Amino acid sequence: MIKIDDFLIGNGQECFIVFEAGPTHSGLESAKKLAGYAKNAGGQAIKFQILDSEKLILDKSQLFTYKILKNRNSGELEEISEPLYDILKRREMSFQEWEELKNYCDEIGILFFASTRIFSFNFFIFFFSKKNFSPKFSILILPFVNFKSNSIIW
């Protein structure tokens, strides 16, 4: 059993629900909305992904095409093409914005944590204490790479 702030996680404890927000926000205000939605839906935690588009995207002009719902009643979709770099850049936040988001999560009573890609296949997950914005502990996730089948096993 482990304890993260006020939550006990393990055998005999209630289900611990984590909402995966990842990089789906478009800045601080939408990230706060996601945290609020997660809390209102009964989540105990929300996990975001910290991005550095400069390190992730080599070709800044590489286009990505996706569809958005234009009209809910008719189901009409709109197709949009834009550089992947621009999409990811909108999801980057400054240290101060991450700190503000973490403090907001504390205010509404949902545990905040984040992952970031440090090496090509390795991820760190940071859990943050309610007391400050320094990582309380982190977990390094290392996959097994099967080069014969060109697959990754987590």
Side-chain angles (χ1 to χ4, degrees):
M1 183 167 329
I2 62 170
K3 183 176 182 183
I4 302 175
D5 284 336
D6 299 329
F7 301 101
L8 287 174
I9 302 168
N11 290 339
Q13 300 302 311
E14 290 184 25
C15 182
F16 186 76
I17 301 171
V18 178
F19 281 79
E20 173 61 55
T24 60
H25 62 86
S26 58
L28 179 59
E29 291 311 310
S30 68
K32 284 181 177 181
K33 283 182 183 178
L34 289 172
Y37 295 148
K39 175 63 179 175
N40 290 337
Q44 284 85 22
I46 187 165
K47 184 185 103 27
F48 289 92
Q49 187 173 3
I50 300 172
L51 297 173
D52 183 348
S53 56
E54 297 293 331
K55 292 180 181 171
L56 285 174
I57 306 297
L58 182 61
D59 180 0
K60 292 180 176 58
S61 65
Q62 178 184 355
L63 286 182
F64 184 79
T65 302
Y66 57 96
K67 294 178 182 178
I68 61 169
L69 183 61
K70 189 172 182 178
N71 185 313
R72 184 177 296 205
N73 294 328
S74 69
E76 179 185 0
L77 299 175
E78 178 182 356
E79 188 170 283
I80 299 174
S81 291
E82 64 178 316
L84 182 58
Y85 175 81
D86 293 349
I87 295 169
L88 295 179
K89 196 71 176 167
R90 285 195 300 269
R91 287 149 172 78
E92 286 183 12
M93 295 197 308
S94 69
F95 180 84
Q96 290 77 18
E97 288 172 316
W98 283 113
E99 186 173 28
E100 185 176 335
L101 177 59
K102 184 256 183 252
N103 290 334
Y104 176 76
C105 289
D106 288 349
E107 287 173 20
I108 65 171
I110 191 166
L111 183 65
F112 167 89
F113 61 103
S115 64
T116 187
R117 190 172 186 163
I118 304 294
F119 307 108
S120 45
F121 292 112
N122 303 336
F123 290 82
F124 279 96
I125 298 178
F126 299 98
F127 294 83
F128 295 89
S129 167
K130 286 184 179 176
K131 297 175 184 75
N132 57 43
F133 190 60
S134 59
K136 189 170 186 176
F137 64 89
S138 62
I139 301 169
L140 174 61
I141 303 170
L142 299 169
F144 171 75
V145 180
N146 183 338
F147 291 101
K148 287 184 181 179
S149 67
N150 201 20
S151 62
I152 300 171
I153 302 168
W154 291 94

